[in-house]
Amino acid sequence: MIHDILRKLEVENSEGKSYSQMFLTNEDLLPVPREKQTWKHRNFIAFWIADSFNVNTWMIASSMIQAGLSWWQAWICVWIGYGVVAPFIVLNARPGAIFHITFPVVARTSFGLYGSLWCTFNRGAMACVWYGVQASIGGTCVFVMLRAMWPSINDIPNGLPDSAGITTKEMLAFFLFWFISLPAIWFPVHQIRHLFTLKAIITPIAGLVFFVWCIVKAKGVGPIIRQPGTMHGTDLGWGMVMNLMSCISNMATLLTNAPDFASRAHTPSAALYPQLFSVPLTFSIVSFIGIIVSSSSQAIYGEAIWSPIDLLNMFLDDHPSHGTRFGVWFIAFAFVIAQTNLNRTNISANSVSAGCDLTSLVPRFINIRRGGYIAAIVGYCILPWKLLASSNGFVSYLSAYSVFLSSIAGVMVTEYYFIRKGHYRMKDLYDTRRDGWYWYTYGINFRAYAAYIAGILINVVGFAGATGRTVPIAATRIYEMSFFTGFGTSMIIYLLLNWAFPVPGGMGQKVAFEEVDLSEDEWDGSSAAQNEVGKARADRDNQSFIKDNDDF
């Protein structure tokens, strides 16, 4: 009976697979077939327009100004931060765009068939936490929408105890946001590009309306534009470094799992130039709008309101007109879409990432769709509003988390560009043969783990300082640049270990860089997985005849 129940719980699998093949493969782990490689240039542009318009990005410059930078110094940090991180996203996305495999499978090339599981668990667990946190923020957007439509909702009595950490009306809004996000998880990754296209149309319009509305209401751009910075000399230099690093850390999640979406690229160039230029441009524009709106709010209310949701709530005070209520509803609606569709929000970096990662952990029973729903359930069960209530500890933890991700990314980028030099053996990614490229030592690459741990250790002392301990200033400076120190250290250590302990097909063979699959041309057909991977390889080879201008 138990066996029958387990069979019913299994995802669709091809017959004839061994247990090891069932552990390494399912439909969502195999190379993406040609008909699902639908993300073109315009889709990646829409993705980043959609990704940039969210509460986090809106407020990112505010923390810099509150720390003592002038508005233009903060904006320079935004430009530099996102401009620096964009090439890293493109670099790590490249294997996905070329071989059409997701992050968990790309991680196998460097960490090993089984060693990659820790990386994917690490990323998947955090995606579940972020799902809940962003759903909580999305709930506040829904509450503003409801209040704009029915002002009396603000008078709903609270029936929850203080220990709940949330009121009845807030719980209602949170549940509504959580519930309306569920249908989007159902759609396959190659289809949700339409969600980003929709959002790329609605959210810029809403942002422009908010921008103009606040300037008109304040009769100017407000005093923050004329406010000088309070940092000078060395403090200013390190203050700008630390703040631009916050932009980079803010993107560490999407940088790591960049292959997930790049695997759906119609052509490799679709995942290259749109991301390289869209990331700094879109995030800088949204940050500028946030600066001007907050500056205008100081002229209107006598204090700078950095959260757009708090500002919209204030617009609804004192019996607003019907026009004001509609305007607030429309802008709040745009933020709801924003929180549903974005990075660090609930479709791209959270439900999709969790789905891809959890799929690799239990491929026999979990696919991307099921993994996304697991993320939604876990995100609800962790009571995310309580995590946000203790914001200092939570923010410190999230900042430290970028250290773990940058070390993973450092190993992955080094593996692809310097160790293997673009050469893959796709067959070995789904096979536990002892002579396979990615078997290493019992399925684990000790070189990758040594480099990964080294990238973390160099930042440990500085992290202790961030939690309130007394540490040397040098350790603090290293931690303030944690992305680069973690990425760079893991990269150097991984290169040295591969030089000392070369791997089959590694840099010791001194081959030229060439993005090619070196799997045998003749497949023995011993398993359905081999046949499926072989078909995916044929689909990919046919791409060489597709011109890039087909993307438009």
Side-chain angles (χ1 to χ4, degrees):
M1 180 179 177
I2 295 178
H3 178 74
D4 292 337
I5 294 175
L6 291 176
R7 290 289 296 177
K8 290 182 180 180
L9 290 176
E10 288 180 0
V11 298
E12 293 182 5
N13 272 299
S14 300
E15 297 295 332
K17 290 184 180 179
S18 66
Y19 281 106
S20 63
Q21 289 167 344
M22 291 181 70
F23 184 79
L24 293 174
T25 64
N26 69 11
E27 182 181 357
D28 290 329
L29 288 174
L30 290 169
V32 177
R34 181 64 193 164
E35 64 270 14
K36 295 182 180 179
Q37 297 167 19
T38 56
W39 282 55
K40 301 182 180 181
H41 286 72
R42 61 177 178 269
N43 300 122
F44 280 96
I45 293 173
F47 173 85
W48 287 112
I49 293 174
D51 185 68
S52 63
F53 192 90
N54 64 84
V55 175
N56 287 350
T57 307
W58 189 278
M59 296 177 63
I60 193 132
S62 69
S63 62
M64 302 180 189
I65 295 175
Q66 289 172 320
L69 298 181
S70 66
W71 78 269
W72 63 268
Q73 290 169 339
W75 202 37
I76 288 175
C77 289
V78 171
W79 271 103
I80 295 175
Y82 287 109
V84 167
V85 79
F88 287 94
I89 293 174
V90 170
L91 286 173
N92 208 33
R94 186 68 178 180
I98 294 294
F99 299 100
H100 300 285
I101 51 179
T102 56
F103 160 68
V105 183
V106 175
R108 293 176 184 178
T109 65
S110 49
F111 287 88
L113 296 178
Y114 299 141
S116 63
L117 296 180
W118 166 250
C119 302
T120 53
F121 172 78
N122 195 18
R123 178 68 186 90
M126 197 58 193
C128 293
V129 173
W130 265 119
Y131 191 105
V133 169
Q134 294 299 338
S136 183
I137 296 174
T140 63
C141 302
V142 170
F143 178 75
V144 173
M145 283 182 61
L146 295 176
R147 189 181 173 202
M149 292 186 290
W150 302 293
S152 60
I153 195 172
N154 204 38
D155 301 324
I156 293 179
N158 181 33
L160 298 175
D162 293 338
S163 59
I166 192 172
T167 64
T168 299
K169 59 186 179 184
E170 291 169 342
M171 175 62 81
L172 171 64
F174 171 83
F175 178 79
L176 286 175
F177 179 87
W178 181 87
F179 184 76
I180 63 177
S181 299
L182 297 181
I185 300 175
W186 182 264
F187 296 99
V189 180
H190 66 281
Q191 291 182 359
I192 64 171
R193 70 190 192 281
H194 301 304
L195 294 176
F196 299 118
T197 301
L198 173 65
K199 186 184 162 195
I201 296 172
I202 293 177
T203 53
I205 295 173
L208 184 61
V209 168
F210 204 4
F211 179 78
V212 174
W213 190 8
C214 287
I215 292 177
V216 171
K217 197 176 180 70
K219 297 180 174 61
V221 294
I224 291 178
I225 297 300
R226 296 179 292 275
Q227 177 180 303
T230 59
M231 287 186 176
H232 305 282
T234 303
D235 290 340
L236 174 60
W238 278 106
M240 293 188 72
V241 168
M242 186 171 61
N243 283 296
L244 71 87
M245 289 302 301
S246 68
C247 298
I248 297 174
S249 298
N250 201 37
M251 299 292 287
T253 51
L254 265 187
L255 187 157
T256 305
N257 73 298
D260 286 343
F261 288 93
S263 64
R264 271 71 183 174
H266 191 61
T267 59
S269 66
L272 175 57
Y273 298 110
Q275 301 197 94
L276 190 61
F277 297 112
S278 295
V279 171
L281 181 62
T282 56
F283 280 82
S284 297
I285 290 174
V286 173
S287 296
F288 177 74
I289 293 174
I291 291 171
I292 298 301
V293 168
S294 299
S295 180
S296 300
S297 71
Q298 185 164 336
I300 300 170
Y301 294 106
E303 61 175 324
I305 312 300
W306 294 106
S307 169
I309 306 306
D310 292 343
L311 182 58
L312 289 173
N313 250 324
M314 294 179 73
F315 282 0
L316 293 176
D317 293 338
D318 301 324
H319 307 289
S321 65
H322 292 294
T324 296
R325 286 168 55 190
F326 175 77
V328 169
W329 178 90
F330 175 69
I331 296 170
F333 173 69
F335 274 109
V336 168
I337 298 177
Q339 293 302 121
T340 304
N341 290 341
L342 317 182
N343 162 45
R344 294 162 305 283
T345 55
N346 285 354
I347 298 303
S348 66
N350 294 333
S351 73
V352 170
S353 298
C356 291
D357 296 338
L358 296 177
T359 292
S360 72
L361 297 177
V362 195
R364 183 179 177 182
F365 298 102
I366 300 178
N367 55 20
I368 291 179
R369 179 179 293 160
R370 292 184 183 183
Y373 284 115
I374 290 173
I377 294 171
V378 173
Y380 194 111
C381 293
I382 62 173
L383 309 180
W385 51 88
K386 288 194 172 184
L387 292 177
L388 292 173
S390 56
S391 58
N392 289 336
F394 185 60
V395 169
S396 296
Y397 170 73
L398 293 179
S399 298
Y401 185 70
S402 67
V403 175
F404 293 87
L405 296 181
S406 66
S407 297
I408 293 174
V411 171
M412 292 174 63
V413 169
T414 307
E415 167 74 18
Y416 186 74
Y417 292 95
F418 297 100
I419 306 304
R420 306 290 184 182
K421 299 181 180 179
H423 294 73
Y424 264 30
R425 289 189 66 179
M426 295 291 291
K427 180 179 179 181
D428 291 349
L429 287 169
Y430 304 93
D431 200 322
T432 55
R433 290 185 301 112
R434 301 307 185 260
D435 59 344
W437 274 15
Y438 313 114
W439 177 248
Y440 297 110
T441 305
Y442 299 105
I444 301 173
N445 185 5
F446 76 90
R447 306 162 193 79
Y449 270 94
Y452 164 70
I453 293 171
I456 295 172
L457 289 179
I458 196 173
N459 289 290
V460 166
V461 178
F463 172 68
T467 60
R469 308 279 179 91
T470 301
V471 300
I473 186 64
T476 300
R477 298 307 188 201
I478 290 173
Y479 182 69
E480 287 173 351
M481 301 184 67
S482 58
F483 176 83
F484 292 113
T485 54
F487 188 99
T489 300
S490 63
M491 183 178 187
I492 293 171
I493 297 299
Y494 193 54
L495 279 170
L496 292 175
L497 288 175
N498 275 275
W499 174 78
F501 306 98
V503 296
M507 63 181 182
Q509 296 185 3
K510 297 183 179 179
V511 295
F513 183 86
E514 184 182 9
E515 294 171 308
V516 62
D517 179 10
L518 298 180
S519 297
E520 291 83 359
D521 292 332
E522 297 296 330
W523 293 77
D524 59 20
S526 61
S527 71
Q530 286 187 6
N531 290 330
E532 292 176 64
V533 177
K535 180 179 180 298
R537 289 177 66 238
D539 288 339
R540 191 184 67 250
D541 292 341
N542 289 335
Q543 280 189 87
S544 59
F545 299 100
I546 300 175
K547 295 182 180 180
D548 287 351
N549 59 16
D550 287 342
D551 288 25
F552 294 95

